[in-house]
Amino acid sequence: RAGRALAGMHRIRAERFGWYHDGWLGALPQRNTWSDDGYQFYAEQRVLRYLPEPGVQAVLNGGQRAVIERICARLAALVPPMPPVLTHGDLATGNMLATPGGQAALIDPAVSYGWPEVDVSMVYCWRGDLVPERYFAAYQEISPLEAGWRERAPLIHLRELLSLLAHFPGRAPVIGSAMPLIEHVIATFA
């Protein structure tokens, strides 16, 4: 039910990427300025916006930040074109619940029109071991993903990893869990 519900939400499309106003991702602002270019939107408003945050600056050195900038400049070569769809924006597994009647319920959104793989990568990369494969199969029944989505998921998940460093500066458990994944993205997509 949850996979089909997310796929149904992703069938709601817009002409541009963004949202009607800025919002929040946790305690930090989420910029949602409209853009016709999904690559520019994701790079500037979802990834690069975190590089100046003190928690990110304290953990990533200048070389790592420069590689992330280069990866963002190459997104069109790394990510297939995707339409702007209604996204939850913060779909960690802890933000998926079930109603007493067994219906899927999503909480704590950071809504915008963005790439569908933003939500899918959050579920897949963020404790995806808790999500059965039938979730992704049910999603694909309604809204098939482009080939290679699993391989791209860590790249798309980079926004969430940088957000964690920004939200929890200096916290060793966060740094310890996020940094190996960030280093994997840097090594794989640079």
Side-chain angles (χ1 to χ4, degrees), residues 64 67-68 70-72 74-75 77-79 125 148-156 158 161 179-190:
Q64 291 167 315
V67 172
I68 290 171
R70 287 195 301 275
I71 290 170
C72 284
R74 295 182 47 243
L75 282 175
L78 300 170
V79 177
C125 293
W149 70 268
R150 290 176 196 270
E151 291 76 21
R152 279 189 305 279
L155 172 60
I156 305 297
L158 181 60
L161 299 170
M179 279 309 297
L181 300 173
I182 292 170
E183 289 167 350
H184 169 76
V185 169
I186 288 172
T188 303
F189 296 98

Short mmCIF file of all heavy atoms in Angstrom, two decimals, residues 64 67-68 70-72 74-75 77-79 125 148-156 158 161 179-190:
data_model
loop_
_atom_site.label_atom_id
_atom_site.label_comp_id
_atom_site.label_asym_id
_atom_site.label_seq_id
_atom_site.Cartn_x
_atom_site.Cartn_y
_atom_site.Cartn_z
N GLN A 64 36.80 17.81 -0.72
CA GLN A 64 35.54 17.05 -0.78
C GLN A 64 34.40 17.95 -1.25
O GLN A 64 33.57 17.53 -2.07
CB GLN A 64 35.22 16.46 0.59
CG GLN A 64 36.18 15.35 1.00
CD GLN A 64 36.04 15.00 2.46
OE1 GLN A 64 35.95 15.87 3.33
NE2 GLN A 64 36.03 13.69 2.75
N VAL A 67 34.69 18.45 -4.99
CA VAL A 67 34.24 17.28 -5.76
C VAL A 67 32.71 17.26 -5.81
O VAL A 67 32.14 16.98 -6.87
CB VAL A 67 34.80 15.97 -5.16
CG1 VAL A 67 34.16 14.76 -5.84
CG2 VAL A 67 36.31 15.91 -5.31
N ILE A 68 32.06 17.57 -4.71
CA ILE A 68 30.59 17.62 -4.72
C ILE A 68 30.11 18.68 -5.70
O ILE A 68 29.14 18.46 -6.44
CB ILE A 68 30.05 17.84 -3.29
CG1 ILE A 68 30.29 16.57 -2.45
CG2 ILE A 68 28.56 18.20 -3.32
CD1 ILE A 68 29.99 16.72 -0.99
N ARG A 70 31.65 19.60 -8.42
CA ARG A 70 31.87 19.05 -9.76
C ARG A 70 30.81 17.99 -10.09
O ARG A 70 30.33 17.91 -11.23
CB ARG A 70 33.27 18.46 -9.88
CG ARG A 70 34.36 19.53 -9.96
CD ARG A 70 35.69 18.98 -10.45
NE ARG A 70 36.25 17.92 -9.63
CZ ARG A 70 37.00 18.10 -8.53
NH1 ARG A 70 37.27 19.33 -8.11
NH2 ARG A 70 37.47 17.07 -7.87
N ILE A 71 30.46 17.18 -9.12
CA ILE A 71 29.40 16.19 -9.35
C ILE A 71 28.10 16.91 -9.71
O ILE A 71 27.40 16.51 -10.65
CB ILE A 71 29.22 15.28 -8.11
CG1 ILE A 71 30.42 14.35 -7.95
CG2 ILE A 71 27.93 14.48 -8.21
CD1 ILE A 71 30.45 13.59 -6.63
N CYS A 72 27.77 17.96 -8.99
CA CYS A 72 26.55 18.71 -9.28
C CYS A 72 26.58 19.31 -10.68
O CYS A 72 25.56 19.37 -11.36
CB CYS A 72 26.33 19.80 -8.23
SG CYS A 72 25.71 19.14 -6.67
N ARG A 74 27.85 17.94 -13.20
CA ARG A 74 27.72 16.84 -14.14
C ARG A 74 26.41 16.06 -13.99
O ARG A 74 26.26 14.97 -14.56
CB ARG A 74 28.89 15.85 -13.93
CG ARG A 74 30.25 16.41 -14.23
CD ARG A 74 31.36 15.38 -14.06
NE ARG A 74 31.05 14.11 -14.69
CZ ARG A 74 30.91 12.95 -14.02
NH1 ARG A 74 31.06 12.89 -12.71
NH2 ARG A 74 30.63 11.83 -14.66
N LEU A 75 25.47 16.56 -13.24
CA LEU A 75 24.25 15.79 -12.97
C LEU A 75 23.54 15.33 -14.24
O LEU A 75 23.00 14.22 -14.28
CB LEU A 75 23.28 16.60 -12.10
CG LEU A 75 23.61 16.66 -10.62
CD1 LEU A 75 22.65 17.60 -9.90
CD2 LEU A 75 23.59 15.27 -9.99
N ALA A 77 24.72 14.26 -16.88
CA ALA A 77 25.36 13.06 -17.40
C ALA A 77 25.16 11.86 -16.47
O ALA A 77 25.36 10.73 -16.89
CB ALA A 77 26.85 13.31 -17.60
N LEU A 78 24.77 12.12 -15.23
CA LEU A 78 24.66 11.06 -14.22
C LEU A 78 23.23 10.62 -13.93
O LEU A 78 23.00 9.51 -13.45
CB LEU A 78 25.30 11.54 -12.91
CG LEU A 78 26.78 11.91 -12.97
CD1 LEU A 78 27.21 12.58 -11.67
CD2 LEU A 78 27.62 10.68 -13.25
N VAL A 79 22.27 11.50 -14.18
CA VAL A 79 20.87 11.27 -13.83
C VAL A 79 20.01 11.45 -15.08
O VAL A 79 20.13 12.49 -15.75
CB VAL A 79 20.43 12.26 -12.71
CG1 VAL A 79 18.96 12.07 -12.38
CG2 VAL A 79 21.30 12.11 -11.48
N CYS A 125 17.85 4.19 0.68
CA CYS A 125 19.15 4.40 1.34
C CYS A 125 19.05 4.58 2.85
O CYS A 125 20.01 4.34 3.57
CB CYS A 125 19.85 5.62 0.75
SG CYS A 125 20.35 5.40 -0.96
N GLY A 148 18.61 1.68 -13.57
CA GLY A 148 19.76 2.16 -12.81
C GLY A 148 19.42 2.98 -11.58
O GLY A 148 20.31 3.55 -10.95
N TRP A 149 18.15 3.00 -11.19
CA TRP A 149 17.77 3.86 -10.05
C TRP A 149 18.47 3.44 -8.76
O TRP A 149 18.82 4.29 -7.94
CB TRP A 149 16.25 3.91 -9.87
CG TRP A 149 15.61 2.65 -9.38
CD1 TRP A 149 15.10 1.64 -10.13
CD2 TRP A 149 15.43 2.25 -8.02
NE1 TRP A 149 14.60 0.64 -9.32
CE2 TRP A 149 14.79 0.99 -8.02
CE3 TRP A 149 15.74 2.84 -6.79
CZ2 TRP A 149 14.46 0.31 -6.85
CZ3 TRP A 149 15.40 2.17 -5.62
CH2 TRP A 149 14.77 0.92 -5.67
N ARG A 150 18.68 2.15 -8.57
CA ARG A 150 19.35 1.69 -7.35
C ARG A 150 20.81 2.17 -7.31
O ARG A 150 21.31 2.54 -6.25
CB ARG A 150 19.31 0.17 -7.23
CG ARG A 150 17.92 -0.38 -6.95
CD ARG A 150 17.95 -1.90 -6.96
NE ARG A 150 16.64 -2.47 -7.06
CZ ARG A 150 15.86 -2.78 -6.02
NH1 ARG A 150 16.27 -2.58 -4.80
NH2 ARG A 150 14.67 -3.31 -6.22
N GLU A 151 21.47 2.16 -8.44
CA GLU A 151 22.86 2.62 -8.50
C GLU A 151 22.94 4.13 -8.28
O GLU A 151 23.91 4.63 -7.71
CB GLU A 151 23.49 2.25 -9.85
CG GLU A 151 23.71 0.76 -10.03
CD GLU A 151 22.44 -0.04 -10.35
OE1 GLU A 151 21.43 0.56 -10.83
OE2 GLU A 151 22.43 -1.26 -10.09
N ARG A 152 21.93 4.89 -8.75
CA ARG A 152 21.90 6.35 -8.57
C ARG A 152 21.43 6.76 -7.18
O ARG A 152 21.64 7.89 -6.76
CB ARG A 152 20.93 6.98 -9.58
CG ARG A 152 21.44 7.19 -10.94
CD ARG A 152 20.46 8.01 -11.77
NE ARG A 152 19.11 7.46 -11.82
CZ ARG A 152 18.73 6.47 -12.61
NH1 ARG A 152 19.58 5.89 -13.43
NH2 ARG A 152 17.48 6.03 -12.60
N ALA A 153 20.75 5.88 -6.49
CA ALA A 153 20.14 6.25 -5.21
C ALA A 153 21.11 6.93 -4.24
O ALA A 153 20.75 7.95 -3.64
CB ALA A 153 19.47 5.04 -4.56
N PRO A 154 22.34 6.44 -4.07
CA PRO A 154 23.25 7.14 -3.16
C PRO A 154 23.54 8.59 -3.59
O PRO A 154 23.66 9.47 -2.75
CB PRO A 154 24.53 6.30 -3.20
CG PRO A 154 24.06 4.93 -3.59
CD PRO A 154 22.91 5.18 -4.55
N LEU A 155 23.64 8.82 -4.90
CA LEU A 155 23.86 10.17 -5.40
C LEU A 155 22.67 11.08 -5.06
O LEU A 155 22.84 12.19 -4.57
CB LEU A 155 24.09 10.14 -6.91
CG LEU A 155 24.14 11.50 -7.62
CD1 LEU A 155 25.25 12.38 -7.08
CD2 LEU A 155 24.26 11.30 -9.12
N ILE A 156 21.48 10.60 -5.32
CA ILE A 156 20.27 11.39 -5.03
C ILE A 156 20.11 11.58 -3.52
O ILE A 156 19.62 12.60 -3.06
CB ILE A 156 19.02 10.72 -5.64
CG1 ILE A 156 19.20 10.46 -7.13
CG2 ILE A 156 17.78 11.55 -5.38
CD1 ILE A 156 19.37 11.68 -7.99
N LEU A 158 22.44 12.13 -1.46
CA LEU A 158 23.47 13.04 -0.96
C LEU A 158 22.86 14.24 -0.25
O LEU A 158 23.38 14.69 0.77
CB LEU A 158 24.37 13.49 -2.11
CG LEU A 158 25.51 14.43 -1.76
CD1 LEU A 158 26.46 13.81 -0.74
CD2 LEU A 158 26.25 14.84 -3.03
N LEU A 161 22.16 13.34 3.30
CA LEU A 161 23.39 13.17 4.09
C LEU A 161 23.98 14.51 4.49
O LEU A 161 24.38 14.71 5.64
CB LEU A 161 24.40 12.34 3.30
CG LEU A 161 23.95 10.92 2.94
CD1 LEU A 161 24.93 10.29 1.97
CD2 LEU A 161 23.77 10.07 4.19
N MET A 179 29.39 9.99 6.82
CA MET A 179 30.62 10.18 6.07
C MET A 179 30.99 9.00 5.17
O MET A 179 31.41 9.23 4.03
CB MET A 179 31.78 10.53 7.01
CG MET A 179 31.78 12.00 7.41
SD MET A 179 31.68 13.14 6.00
CE MET A 179 33.20 12.77 5.12
N PRO A 180 30.86 7.75 5.58
CA PRO A 180 31.17 6.67 4.63
C PRO A 180 30.29 6.72 3.38
O PRO A 180 30.75 6.43 2.28
CB PRO A 180 30.92 5.39 5.43
CG PRO A 180 31.04 5.81 6.86
CD PRO A 180 30.55 7.23 6.92
N LEU A 181 29.04 7.12 3.55
CA LEU A 181 28.13 7.21 2.40
C LEU A 181 28.49 8.38 1.51
O LEU A 181 28.46 8.29 0.28
CB LEU A 181 26.69 7.31 2.89
CG LEU A 181 26.22 6.12 3.74
CD1 LEU A 181 24.84 6.40 4.32
CD2 LEU A 181 26.22 4.85 2.93
N ILE A 182 28.85 9.52 2.11
CA ILE A 182 29.28 10.68 1.32
C ILE A 182 30.57 10.34 0.57
O ILE A 182 30.71 10.65 -0.62
CB ILE A 182 29.47 11.91 2.24
CG1 ILE A 182 28.12 12.38 2.77
CG2 ILE A 182 30.18 13.04 1.48
CD1 ILE A 182 28.19 13.43 3.86
N GLU A 183 31.51 9.68 1.25
CA GLU A 183 32.76 9.29 0.59
C GLU A 183 32.50 8.30 -0.55
O GLU A 183 33.17 8.36 -1.59
CB GLU A 183 33.72 8.70 1.63
CG GLU A 183 34.26 9.76 2.56
CD GLU A 183 34.95 9.20 3.80
OE1 GLU A 183 34.87 7.98 4.05
OE2 GLU A 183 35.58 10.01 4.51
N HIS A 184 31.50 7.43 -0.39
CA HIS A 184 31.12 6.51 -1.46
C HIS A 184 30.61 7.30 -2.67
O HIS A 184 30.98 7.00 -3.82
CB HIS A 184 30.05 5.53 -0.97
CG HIS A 184 29.42 4.74 -2.07
ND1 HIS A 184 30.05 3.69 -2.70
CD2 HIS A 184 28.22 4.89 -2.67
CE1 HIS A 184 29.25 3.21 -3.64
NE2 HIS A 184 28.14 3.91 -3.65
N VAL A 185 29.76 8.29 -2.44
CA VAL A 185 29.24 9.12 -3.54
C VAL A 185 30.37 9.83 -4.24
O VAL A 185 30.46 9.85 -5.48
CB VAL A 185 28.17 10.11 -3.03
CG1 VAL A 185 27.82 11.13 -4.09
CG2 VAL A 185 26.92 9.37 -2.59
N ILE A 186 31.28 10.42 -3.47
CA ILE A 186 32.42 11.13 -4.05
C ILE A 186 33.26 10.18 -4.90
O ILE A 186 33.63 10.51 -6.03
CB ILE A 186 33.25 11.81 -2.93
CG1 ILE A 186 32.47 13.01 -2.37
CG2 ILE A 186 34.62 12.22 -3.44
CD1 ILE A 186 33.10 13.63 -1.15
N ALA A 187 33.56 9.00 -4.39
CA ALA A 187 34.40 8.05 -5.11
C ALA A 187 33.69 7.49 -6.35
O ALA A 187 34.32 7.27 -7.39
CB ALA A 187 34.80 6.91 -4.18
N THR A 188 32.39 7.30 -6.27
CA THR A 188 31.65 6.65 -7.36
C THR A 188 31.29 7.61 -8.47
O THR A 188 31.35 7.25 -9.65
CB THR A 188 30.36 6.01 -6.81
OG1 THR A 188 30.71 5.09 -5.77
CG2 THR A 188 29.57 5.30 -7.88
N PHE A 189 30.91 8.84 -8.13
CA PHE A 189 30.34 9.75 -9.13
C PHE A 189 31.27 10.89 -9.55
O PHE A 189 30.89 11.69 -10.40
CB PHE A 189 29.00 10.30 -8.63
CG PHE A 189 27.98 9.22 -8.45
CD1 PHE A 189 27.72 8.68 -7.21
CD2 PHE A 189 27.28 8.73 -9.54
CE1 PHE A 189 26.78 7.67 -7.03
CE2 PHE A 189 26.34 7.72 -9.39
CZ PHE A 189 26.10 7.19 -8.13
N ALA A 190 32.45 10.98 -8.96
CA ALA A 190 33.37 12.09 -9.30
C ALA A 190 33.91 11.94 -10.71
O ALA A 190 34.00 10.89 -11.27
CB ALA A 190 34.53 12.13 -8.31
#
